[in-house]
Amino acid sequence: MPGTEIRLALDAIPMGGMTEGAAGDEKVLFVRDASGVRAFQAKCPHLGAPLAKGEICGGRLYCPWHKAAFALADGTLEEPPALDSLTRYPVRIEGCEAVATLTPEPAPRKSVAATVESVLVVGSGAAAIACVKTLRREGYAGRITLVGREAHQPYDRTKLSKQFLAKPTPPDKVLIEPDFTQSNQVERVTEEVVKVDPARRDVTLKDGRTLTADAILVATGSRAVMPDFPGHDLDGVFTLRSLDDAVRVSEAAGAAKTVVVVGAGFIGMEAAAFLTKRGLSVTVLAREAVPFAERFGEAVGAALKRYHAGNGVTFETGSVARIAGSGRVEAVETEDGRRLLADIVLVGAGAKPETDMVAGIEAEEGGGLKVGGDLKLADGVWIAGDIAAFPEMASGETARIEHWRLAQQHGTHVAHAILGRGGAFAGAPFFWSNQGDKRLDYGGYAKAFDRVVLQGDAAALDFIAYYVTGDRVTAACSIGRNGAFTAFLHLLGLGRLPSAAEIEAGADLPALAKEAA
């Protein structure tokens, strides 16, 4: 409530740290350092995580759940998945107490002398929305047009394979904002794009219209792959990529008893966990005996498999020969002759980058369009997200990464480039996966690795694993080790991560990160 005061003893706020203060149901986050005491909203603007449980690294406050980063000095957003800065409240010192008044301080009004009068964004996913939000947050007042085939207001795709499936959920629960178009002064065009011509800087729509702008971001993302095995077109066979997909799967789950998930990737395993919570009998059919072993190592993969099996998920190893049924799915038949009964089949066979409409540029072997660190295709034209094969700074590899947050980082980078702030993209990749009630964090990029430095107990799902090539750590994954993992991510982004030998010898990453700005 405006005007409410929250008091906290200064001694309760550690120097260089933070503490949550409360008055009734109202809460604020007090932060204290050599420059004084400041107060911010207590919950992350992304999904409401309690920021007091986050980590402070080198002048940044990291959200404990999804690693959004905010400047400790003023609450300014520095890294997604949050798309807004923290609300700040005035603080005064009375004796031995800090007193915050819950009347928000006005957000700084920004304006930019942009050289572009119009921006066209192709796509409506993570990169596209982050670009739009960044442009408006930085004070860009020009025309922004958002074109894509989905009629929905922009939504958070990361939610679709998680709690959305655990019970019937209204689609508006996954919207990024109730009315994104109006609140961000965006002109929406709902139509399929059939051609992007970087040389001409124009976009052709399926209905024949041609759109152009001073600056164009192409962020078309990927489409789910449906293998062409017999029976893939039966009723009850789904992929899970869009909000419409998720609605269809959730509705079908309401009348189903058995599910076969084909594929043991992140989408498949998340969906398996949450459909099990809904009371369905779930079988995962995958070619690999241990999910994630190639990505995370045998110990981590085996521990995750045991965890899911303990929660009721059945695992089968093999390949699909056909999906059987008469009009509607009845079973999945494997190449070695097994028959897995199914009311629903959810196919998680990966995704294909949407690059075919980009004229004059051939996709790389991995499906992406190769760009430099500036993410530029041509003068005034950038790409971002799933379709970009870009130089990943920490590993030195050309990478195409299908992470929601990485796409947001790309979109933010392109917005800054449109506003005249050049440079190479240097963000540290990060994603999270809700494996049932366990949140797995992964940061960096390791297409392959020589060995794994494992700290903690993988079997108990309380660990951090570092992936090593030579004597360099390029990635890490973790469950239950938030402090060490956040420090790793922070140091990786700064290019100040210790060597593998130093980490293996017990380097104190949180202590190093606290001072690293």
Side-chain angles (χ1 to χ4, degrees):
M1 179 182 297
T4 297
E5 291 186 345
I6 296 180
R7 295 173 174 268
L8 195 64
L10 284 172
D11 288 348
I13 314 170
M15 183 62 69
M18 56 190 172
T19 306
E20 185 176 273
D25 293 334
E26 301 292 339
K27 297 178 180 180
V28 297
L29 182 73
F30 288 98
V31 173
R32 185 183 183 195
D33 56 24
S35 62
V37 178
R38 295 172 298 286
F40 303 103
Q41 66 186 82
K43 293 184 177 181
C44 180
H46 175 222
L47 290 182
L51 291 173
K53 294 184 178 181
E55 305 293 333
I56 291 176
C57 299
R60 280 184 169 185
L61 166 59
Y62 285 88
C63 167
W65 292 354
H66 308 120
K67 309 303 176 283
F70 307 91
L72 277 178
D74 58 8
T76 299
L77 176 67
E78 296 198 346
E79 290 281 8
L83 295 172
D84 297 297
S85 298
L86 297 180
T87 299
R88 184 173 177 180
Y89 300 102
V91 177
R92 67 182 188 276
I93 304 301
E94 287 189 358
C96 296
E97 290 186 318
V99 184
T101 303
L102 297 192
T103 302
E105 293 187 355
R109 294 185 65 86
K110 295 184 178 181
S111 62
V112 290
T115 58
V116 298
E117 295 182 1
S118 59
V119 176
L120 174 61
V121 180
V122 181
S124 57
I129 300 316
C131 181
V132 171
K133 290 286 290 185
T134 303
L135 288 169
R136 293 304 191 212
R137 194 170 59 245
E138 293 297 316
Y140 177 72
R143 180 182 179 187
I144 301 178
T145 303
L146 191 72
V147 56
R149 60 175 172 267
E150 290 193 75
H152 299 289
Q153 289 285 332
Y155 56 87
D156 186 337
R157 195 183 306 277
T158 65
K159 296 180 180 179
L160 300 183
S161 56
K162 302 179 177 69
Q163 288 85 352
F164 189 89
L165 297 180
K167 61 182 180 180
T169 305
D172 62 8
K173 291 294 185 182
V174 301
L175 297 184
I176 290 171
E177 293 176 358
D179 191 349
F180 178 90
T181 302
Q182 183 174 353
S183 60
N184 293 281
Q185 298 176 305
V186 173
E187 179 184 334
R188 282 292 300 274
V189 177
T190 304
E191 184 56 89
E192 186 165 353
V193 173
V194 295
K195 183 179 179 182
V196 175
D197 191 328
R200 293 172 54 90
R201 205 163 65 223
D202 64 25
V203 172
T204 304
L205 307 183
K206 189 175 182 179
D207 63 11
R209 283 180 290 170
T210 298
L211 306 178
T212 189
D214 298 320
I216 296 177
L217 168 62
V218 184
T220 43
S222 301
R223 282 192 179 184
V225 171
M226 175 63 83
D228 192 24
F229 35 60
H232 72 274
D233 54 352
L234 289 171
D235 287 346
V237 180
F238 302 99
T239 56
L240 182 54
R241 183 74 186 177
S242 68
L243 178 53
D244 288 337
D245 290 340
V247 170
R248 285 191 286 266
V249 172
S250 184
E251 287 177 348
K257 293 182 180 179
T258 58
V259 182
V260 172
V261 176
V262 178
F266 293 106
I267 298 297
M269 291 306 301
E270 288 181 349
F274 287 98
L275 288 171
T276 300
K277 283 178 175 287
R278 193 163 176 171
L280 281 72
S281 174
V282 179
T283 298
V284 173
L285 174 65
R287 292 174 180 170
E288 63 272 23
V290 179
F292 308 125
E294 184 175 346
R295 183 72 175 270
F296 298 143
E298 193 76 22
V300 174
L304 285 167
K305 182 177 181 179
R306 284 193 299 272
Y307 170 74
H308 286 294
N311 287 328
V313 177
T314 300
F315 288 88
E316 297 283 351
T317 304
S319 299
V320 176
R322 63 189 290 264
I323 298 178
S326 178
R328 180 165 187 83
V329 62
E330 297 173 5
V332 175
E333 297 180 355
T334 66
E335 290 183 347
D336 60 4
R338 284 167 291 161
R339 182 178 171 88
L340 308 176
L341 297 179
D343 301 317
I344 295 173
V345 174
L346 180 59
V347 179
K352 181 180 183 300
E354 299 252 44
T355 60
D356 292 346
M357 76 286 292
V358 180
I361 302 175
E362 290 294 323
E364 295 282 292
E365 183 178 344
L369 303 178
K370 190 170 182 178
V371 288
D374 59 4
L375 305 182
K376 262 192 175 184
L377 274 186
D379 187 36
V381 181
W382 293 262
I383 61 173
D386 292 7
I387 66 172
F390 69 101
E392 199 281 311
M393 192 71 72
S395 67
E397 301 268 1
T398 295
R400 191 185 70 79
I401 299 175
E402 296 177 358
H403 299 174
W404 175 265
R405 182 177 181 267
L406 190 280
Q408 291 179 309
Q409 290 172 301
H410 275 182
T412 300
H413 179 86
V414 171
H416 288 152
I418 290 171
L419 298 177
R421 303 173 201 168
F425 175 76
F430 163 74
F431 73 84
W432 73 93
S433 176
N434 288 91
Q435 298 289 306
D437 293 330
K438 299 292 184 179
R439 191 192 74 244
L440 180 146
D441 293 329
Y442 182 94
Y445 179 73
K447 190 174 182 180
F449 48 88
D450 299 333
R451 61 191 180 97
V452 181
V453 174
L454 182 64
Q455 297 176 351
D457 187 348
L461 295 181
D462 179 18
F463 68 91
I464 183 167
Y466 300 97
Y467 300 96
V468 182
T469 299
D471 193 33
R472 184 172 59 164
V473 173
T474 63
C477 81
S478 173
I479 296 176
R481 298 293 177 103
N482 193 56
F485 179 84
T486 305
F488 161 82
L489 192 66
H490 182 74
L491 292 167
L492 183 72
L494 294 176
R496 295 172 63 179
L497 193 67
S499 69
E502 290 169 318
I503 289 175
E504 198 164 13
D508 188 341
L509 297 191
L512 293 171
K514 198 168 184 68
E515 304 302 323

